[in-house]
Amino acid sequence: MPSPPATVRGLFPALAESTEIYLDSAATTQKPLPVIETIHRYHTSRTANAGRGTYPWATNLTTRLTRVRDRMATFIGAESPAEVVFTGGATAALNAVALSWGLAELDDGDEILYNPRDHASNVHPWHHLRQMLARFGRRIELVPYRVTELGEADTADILAKVGPRTRLITTSHLHHVFGGLTTLEELRGKLDPRILLCFDCSQSGGHMPLDVTELGADFAIFAAHKMFGAPGTGILYCHRRVHDRLLPFLPGGNTGVDLTDAGLTSTGMPDLLEGGTQNIPGILALGSALEVLESLDVGVIAAHNRELTLRLIDNLRPVPGLEFLPGPAHAPCAIGYGIVSFTLAGISATDLGFVLSELGFLVRTGLHCSPRAGDDAMDSVRVSTHIYNTVEEIDRFATCVKTIAEEVT
């Protein structure tokens, strides 16, 4: 498989400035030049606040943000731009679901099914919601489900635990540690239509073709900084069937509500969930990131990550003392989505990560923002790739790990 052409790598200035090999795109992706230029241009030319003025600087920004929303809706397969909400990040988007939907809709005895091994941002908000509701006399249940050896949600376990009081099933679309893909397609036609589905697409957005309508998602969450965009910008997809069941979670300036004698009354989505001044440069940067992703073709990115993943697994499999966490390494067929996690006997993940960094390989170690709870918690080394990584980098990394293994075992 050929490495990405120099023109692709040339889009990312940080890669040109360093001799180190970046293998931590699941934490954040490198930023292409158009994104960097968009942020710089906002702060140096016609800086204004969108939706707050009738002069050209402000109205032009309002138009540009509308175009980014339209583009994002098309990019993820939403049926309407009104289903796309801009938030302060993926964590903020997941909390928005808990606060705008959960506080309004859940009754005493209702249940949420979740994966306790997901990212903390898709675990902690539900526990926080349960604690808040308990203070008002409503006690909801959080029902955990298992993960398979492939790093996917165990749909058989989910189906066995779904009950008459189940109101939401939340899951990672692409797991941030295991690299397992979950679509819940095995559950289609077997669930009560009243049960909502929430997908954390922070790792899949911008890494593979994705259609929220085909997923059957009621909520889907994206992190701009993991799809070539800037930190501090998230995207919350809300299917229009849930719009009339939402309350503002951040009421304030520009929130889509009217103040009446009856209280706050919605004037419509997506403004209902977008109170306050938005991260304007971040949203504009998202628009530029989407342009780059479309020019590179997300399908091509997915194929590239798949080949790098399979090559990495094949190269690491013979390493003595190396154990793969759940994920594509345990699959009976050739799958891979750019994320591989492992441990190495004789050395802690933290120490191994330090040694690797000294040798020029930048990887993530630890729990990777997974909740530290129960016997399932395990520190590991995570390798995550993107279009700017090369076959040569993967081969050099695997050779380095093999050398370290020979020294510590």
Side-chain angles (χ1 to χ4, degrees):
M1 182 191 66
S3 297
T7 51
V8 171
R9 288 178 65 88
L11 281 172
F12 303 89
L15 297 178
E17 296 173 359
S18 174
T19 58
E20 295 167 306
I21 296 175
Y22 187 76
L23 295 170
D24 196 20
S25 290
T28 196
T29 54
Q30 295 300 305
K31 314 309 172 195
L33 191 58
V35 167
I36 298 169
E37 291 174 339
T38 294
I39 296 171
H40 181 264
R41 191 160 50 245
Y42 169 77
H43 288 296
T44 57
S45 176
R46 294 179 172 81
T47 302
N49 201 342
R52 302 295 200 276
T54 56
Y55 54 90
W57 289 14
T59 56
N60 178 58
L61 279 173
T62 302
T63 299
R64 291 174 65 191
L65 295 188
T66 298
R67 289 173 179 166
V68 176
R69 193 189 307 276
D70 293 346
R71 191 167 207 144
M72 185 67 194
T74 300
F75 186 79
I76 64 174
E79 295 180 350
S80 166
E83 297 175 318
V84 174
V85 177
F86 294 129
T87 70
T91 298
L94 282 157
N95 276 275
V97 176
L99 299 177
S100 63
W101 169 79
L103 283 180
E105 285 287 303
L106 294 177
D107 292 324
D108 195 57
D110 284 346
E111 298 176 348
I112 293 175
L113 270 62
Y114 79 108
N115 177 5
R117 303 183 75 178
D118 270 351
H119 194 285
S121 294
N122 198 21
V123 175
H124 290 169
W126 315 114
H127 286 267
H128 182 51
L129 175 64
R130 181 175 63 176
Q131 288 178 311
M132 284 195 295
L133 288 174
R135 294 191 175 195
F136 295 96
R138 284 184 284 168
R139 301 191 179 277
I140 66 169
E141 297 295 329
L142 301 180
V143 181
Y145 58 80
R146 295 191 297 264
V147 178
T148 70
E149 188 181 41
L150 303 185
E152 304 166 357
D154 188 331
T155 52
D157 190 45
I158 291 175
L159 195 59
K161 292 176 176 176
V162 166
R165 301 303 299 273
T166 303
R167 294 292 176 263
L168 178 76
I169 301 172
T170 184
T171 190
S172 292
H173 184 222
L174 180 60
H175 198 277
H176 69 296
V177 180
F178 305 143
L181 186 69
T182 295
T183 63
L184 300 181
E185 61 182 340
E186 298 89 343
L187 302 182
R188 291 174 188 168
K190 300 178 182 179
L191 298 175
D192 188 318
R194 293 176 298 176
I195 299 175
L196 303 185
L197 302 181
C198 177
F199 290 88
D200 180 2
C201 301
S202 297
Q203 297 297 343
S204 52
H207 292 74
M208 58 187 296
L210 190 158
D211 188 307
V212 292
T213 302
E214 289 183 4
L215 266 182
D218 294 288
F219 302 106
I221 285 80
F222 301 84
H225 75 100
K226 298 187 180 185
M227 46 197 297
F228 294 166
T233 305
I235 303 93
L236 169 60
Y237 162 80
C238 296
H239 192 288
R240 57 188 172 187
R241 78 162 176 151
V242 302
H243 286 189
D244 62 353
R245 299 158 66 179
L246 303 175
L247 294 178
F249 83 106
L250 196 65
N254 215 44
T255 309
V257 295
D258 284 335
L259 184 58
T260 66
D261 292 339
L264 299 179
T265 303
S266 172
T267 59
M269 287 282 281
D271 293 345
L272 182 70
L273 303 185
E274 290 186 352
T277 298
Q278 295 172 311
N279 181 355
I280 296 171
I283 296 171
L284 295 176
L286 171 64
S288 296
L290 294 176
E291 291 181 16
V292 173
L293 287 167
E294 290 165 354
S295 69
L296 295 175
D297 189 331
V298 181
V300 171
I301 293 173
H304 183 73
N305 277 330
R306 177 177 176 273
E307 293 302 322
L308 293 184
T309 303
L310 294 173
R311 191 178 188 99
L312 177 63
I313 291 171
D314 287 344
N315 286 350
L316 291 181
R317 202 179 293 279
V319 174
L322 188 144
E323 291 190 16
F324 292 105
L325 267 61
H330 301 279
C333 55
I335 59 172
Y337 307 97
I339 297 175
V340 176
S341 297
F342 63 89
T343 61
L344 186 63
I347 186 171
S348 70
T350 300
D351 289 343
L352 178 54
F354 176 78
V355 173
L356 288 168
S357 69
E358 289 291 295
L359 297 172
F361 298 97
L362 309 182
V363 297
R364 179 76 180 269
T365 63
L367 289 175
H368 318 291
C369 293
S370 293
R372 184 179 289 277
D375 296 333
D376 288 336
M378 179 184 293
D379 289 350
S380 63
V381 172
R382 182 186 68 190
V383 178
S384 50
T385 64
H386 215 297
I387 189 66
Y388 38 66
N389 292 120
T390 67
V391 170
E392 293 77 16
E393 290 175 342
I394 293 300
D395 290 346
R396 286 172 58 191
F397 174 81
T399 299
C400 185
V401 172
K402 181 179 179 181
T403 300
I404 296 170
E406 292 170 348
E407 294 176 356
V408 300
T409 56

